[in-house]
Amino acid sequence: MPLSDCSGWRNFTDLKLVMKAATETVPAVTWNYGSFLQVTIDFLIVALAIFMLIKAINAAKKKEEAAPSTPPAVPKEEILLTEIRDLLKK
């Protein structure tokens, strides 16, 4: 449903500037800038909504990553090397 169909929203598509008035055989020459304004405003609203959605998703991922995790298990080689070092000290 485009924003122009919603009640309470301003519809700019009918805005135009008449460059040359119409005659009996030739239609009026107009510059329809309202359509451009409407499309620009619609784009900005959609872009803002997508930006806020992505920002919220990234914030949720950061909180998930920041959660403390258990320390990784020490490899067997490191345990053996530590024991050898301790034995050599004695």
Side-chain angles (χ1 to χ4, degrees):
M1 180 168 153
L3 290 177
S4 59
D5 294 341
C6 297
S7 61
W9 288 93
R10 177 76 166 107
N11 187 356
F12 296 109
T13 55
D14 295 333
L15 296 177
K16 59 186 167 187
L17 180 65
V18 178
M19 305 294 275
K20 186 176 182 183
T23 61
E24 292 178 8
T25 58
V26 180
V29 176
T30 60
W31 181 42
N32 299 326
Y33 64 92
S35 296
F36 174 75
L37 286 175
Q38 187 68 44
V39 169
T40 303
I41 292 170
D42 290 346
F43 172 78
L44 290 175
I45 291 170
V46 170
L48 178 67
I50 292 173
F51 174 76
M52 296 303 286
L53 178 68
I54 291 173
K55 195 161 178 85
I57 290 171
N58 286 339
K61 282 184 181 179
K62 271 188 183 176
K63 287 182 182 178
E64 187 177 291
E65 290 174 4
S69 61
T70 59
V74 181
K76 290 181 180 181
E77 294 120 5
E78 193 171 325
I79 294 172
L80 289 173
L81 288 172
T82 307
E83 290 176 1
I84 292 170
R85 183 196 66 202
D86 292 341
L87 288 172
L88 288 173
K89 281 185 181 178
K90 291 182 183 179

